[in-house]
Amino acid sequence: MTHSIRIRKSPILIAGFAFCAALLCLPISMVQSQRSPGTPAAHSLTAIEHVTVVTMTEQGTVLRDATVIIDQQRIVALSGPVPRGAKRIDGRGKWLIPGLADMHVHLPSDGSMRPPKYPTEEPAMFFDTQDIMTPYLANGVTQIMNLDSVAASVGQRNAIARGEVLGPHMALAGVINGGKGRGRIANTPSDGRQAVRDLQGEGYDFVKPYSDLNVDTFLAIVDEAHKRGLKAVGHIPDAFEGQLESAFVPGFAMVAHAEEFSKHSQDFTDADAARFARLAKKNATWVAPTLVTIRWIASETRSLDEMKASPHLKYVHPLLQSKWIVANRYNKNSTPQLIDYFGRMVVFHQRLVRALKAEGVPMVTGSDALTSGVVGGFSLHEELELLVGAGLTNQEALAAATRLPAQWLGVHGDRGTIEIGKRADLVLLDADPLIAIANSRRIAGVFLSGRFINRARLDAMMADLAQRNTAAKPQYDWNALRGK
């Protein structure tokens, strides 16, 4: 995701808008070959023996020395004998948690680097869907919400659903913006309502109102979505400056960034944090703080050294790697004033999380992956650690990444906790995440609808991805592709 440099205005712009716009300017087309890692064979019966189960139910139940039986993608028992013929997995010294959710991601998708010459011209740039999903899978992320979904996103979701790609369940939110920008634009209430109807007809799950909408159009979009049973999740338009309370109406179900609040605070005061929390609570609006996003932006306004040294950068497509480094607007436009501003915002967001917790506002994990420096999958664990650092307990942070996302998405009957009858989307850990939240990174294996992918397989997939990305870097120099 790309962020503009505006103090007291939203720094966040749509990743797909900015990235696709940049691709349209490139003079040549390049294709990255599609490849499939193959799908591990399903086993009808699996038993995880002698494991500690962190169920993540509301009661916070932890089962010691449990035996989890999986059959036909579902959890069928949490104790008792192992059925004959079951595949046995030794869970001694390990912890089992529900699969993790990143409720704010952006995904690159196929597109063109220049305007098409004729209506039926095919895309010129293809992103391998498995390569996009592998870092999520390797980090135990079994649910994502794409907050910049386009037509190609439906194809990505369907490839996962068909079993052609190993990856998380994907919820799709379509963006509606105002002004004269790219994408789906609505500048009148009637156009906003029609845009909602269009999104629903095209099969999107949620509606994302964006920053440049005017007040009346935003309210019409949220109202139309609410009437049609669609939740609205997104930004608080800049037009609400000085009248923030007016944005909190029925149907505005989640604020996608802590920054959507902080841009309405002149001095980042505790009183403002408390006021924002009360607004969300009164309207039953949830929040995805995305603390990791501003942390990375603050880092990049100071220097690119941290991002360049990141061990996770090699898992990002080489074109994005190059763009993040040579065309990093946060670094290029950095000033002492901006460095100070983002530094103070990082601290304020921690206080805002504490205020939201105090008011009982539900929070879910989101990382805004595709923002420069924010590498999908890994960023979810960083978000967990930042939430704990801001005042959530380890149990509360894990709930924000498991049970609560499933509840907000309306899939809590299917997944989000470890209970009999639930889908076996699970993460097997080598250490206790209730003792240290960083232990969520110590993944021994991941279950996707009952299919087990062990650490060795995950490591091999990641090593292959990194090797191919590194080998392809000479083909994807951002400045060279743009003719600079």
Side-chain angles (χ1 to χ4, degrees):
M1 174 180 269
T2 305
H3 298 242
S4 65
I5 310 299
R6 289 189 295 173
I7 294 179
R8 299 198 64 229
K9 296 291 185 179
S10 174
I12 299 181
L13 298 177
I14 300 173
F17 283 13
F19 185 57
C20 292
L23 288 181
L24 289 170
C25 299
L26 296 178
I28 62 175
S29 64
M30 305 191 69
V31 177
Q32 180 171 344
S33 62
Q34 294 285 335
R35 51 184 307 283
S36 172
T39 302
H43 202 285
S44 177
L45 275 172
T46 301
I48 313 166
E49 301 180 89
H50 306 295
V51 68
T52 300
V53 178
V54 183
T55 64
M56 292 314 305
T57 59
E58 288 191 44
Q59 296 76 23
T61 305
V62 175
L63 306 176
R64 310 286 178 181
D65 196 28
T67 296
V68 179
I69 309 297
I70 300 168
D71 188 19
Q72 301 297 330
Q73 304 183 2
R74 300 280 167 180
I75 300 167
V76 297
L78 296 172
S79 63
V82 176
R84 179 176 296 180
K87 175 183 177 180
R88 292 173 180 259
I89 296 173
D90 187 357
R92 282 174 291 191
K94 299 189 187 301
W95 285 256
L96 193 68
I97 64 172
L100 302 170
D102 191 328
M103 294 287 282
H104 189 156
V105 309
H106 296 259
L107 305 175
S109 57
D110 302 344
S112 296
M113 300 180 183
R114 51 174 172 73
K117 294 179 180 178
Y118 48 88
T120 59
E121 185 176 9
E122 66 278 3
M125 179 82 179
F126 298 91
F127 289 89
D128 188 318
T129 302
Q130 184 62 65
D131 287 352
I132 297 169
M133 300 303 163
T134 292
Y136 289 103
L137 176 65
N139 281 281
V141 177
T142 62
Q143 173 72 65
I144 58 176
M145 180 158 65
N146 186 349
L147 285 189
D148 185 21
S149 298
V150 294
S153 307
V154 177
Q156 293 174 328
R157 179 191 63 185
N158 294 351
I160 295 170
R162 287 193 299 267
E164 298 168 3
V165 170
L166 291 174
H169 304 282
M170 190 189 308
L172 304 179
V175 178
I176 307 174
N177 200 12
K180 298 180 180 179
R182 291 174 51 82
R184 198 181 302 261
I185 300 298
N187 289 309
T188 67
S190 60
D191 285 349
R193 291 182 184 278
Q194 183 60 52
V196 172
R197 294 191 287 268
D198 290 344
L199 284 173
Q200 188 172 44
E202 292 164 21
Y204 295 94
D205 306 306
F206 303 98
V207 173
K208 182 182 179 181
Y210 206 66
S211 298
D212 294 328
L213 291 165
N214 63 53
V215 168
D216 290 341
T217 303
F218 170 86
L219 295 176
I221 287 169
V222 174
D223 179 65
E224 187 69 22
H226 190 49
K227 288 177 178 177
R228 293 178 171 273
L230 296 177
K231 290 181 176 179
V233 48
H235 291 202
I236 300 170
D238 295 341
F240 282 95
E241 185 168 0
Q243 51 176 323
L244 181 61
E245 294 81 359
S246 302
F248 286 84
V249 292
F252 189 25
M254 186 186 296
V255 176
H257 298 280
E259 188 212 1
E260 294 306 303
F261 292 105
S262 60
K263 70 183 182 182
H264 292 277
S265 178
Q266 180 70 48
D267 300 311
F268 295 155
T269 62
D270 288 337
D272 279 346
R275 176 169 63 92
F276 300 152
R278 288 194 298 269
L279 284 175
K281 178 65 175 180
K282 182 179 179 181
N283 198 54
T285 300
W286 293 33
V287 178
T290 64
L291 302 179
V292 62
T293 310
I294 298 301
R295 194 209 74 75
W296 271 104
I297 290 175
S299 173
E300 290 159 30
T301 58
R302 296 189 300 269
S303 166
L304 296 182
D305 290 348
E306 182 185 10
M307 185 176 66
K308 289 179 180 179
S310 170
H312 308 144
L313 193 61
K314 59 181 176 287
Y315 303 116
V316 176
H317 189 282
L319 182 61
L320 288 171
Q321 290 186 45
S322 181
K323 179 180 183 290
W324 288 0
I325 293 170
V326 304
N328 190 301
R329 66 170 59 199
Y330 318 125
N331 187 260
K332 287 182 178 295
N333 295 298
S334 179
T335 64
Q337 181 188 24
L338 198 62
I339 291 171
D340 176 70
Y341 175 71
F342 281 123
R344 290 188 296 112
M345 185 183 287
V346 167
V347 175
F348 177 72
H349 286 176
Q350 295 172 338
R351 299 204 304 272
L352 177 58
V353 165
R354 289 194 288 272
L356 292 167
K357 175 180 174 176
E359 283 290 338
V361 176
M363 288 176 275
V364 297
T365 49
S367 72
D368 205 357
L370 206 66
T371 303
S372 61
V374 183
V375 181
F378 298 98
S379 55
L380 188 281
H381 296 282
E382 185 173 1
E383 183 71 9
L384 283 171
E385 291 162 13
L386 290 170
L387 287 170
V388 170
L392 269 60
T393 66
N394 295 343
Q395 181 92 15
E396 288 167 342
L398 286 173
T402 56
R403 183 182 72 252
L404 293 176
Q407 183 179 334
W408 192 91
L409 291 168
V411 298
H412 50 288
D414 184 63
R415 49 192 185 269
T417 58
I418 301 179
E419 298 177 271
I420 293 173
K422 293 288 183 76
R423 184 179 299 274
D425 290 340
L426 308 166
V427 185
L428 190 63
L429 300 176
D430 285 325
D432 187 353
L434 298 179
I435 295 297
I437 196 63
N439 288 337
S440 67
R441 298 179 184 265
R442 298 184 59 183
I443 295 171
V446 177
F447 292 83
L448 282 176
S449 295
R451 296 177 183 269
F452 184 58
I453 306 99
N454 64 25
R455 184 74 261 169
R457 175 71 187 282
L458 294 171
D459 287 345
M461 293 173 68
M462 291 291 277
D464 175 63
L465 173 59
Q467 188 277 327
R468 287 183 291 103
N469 281 345
T470 300
K473 285 177 73 172
Q475 305 173 51
Y476 292 99
D477 181 273
W478 182 262
N479 284 336
L481 291 174
R482 299 194 69 189
K484 293 186 176 180

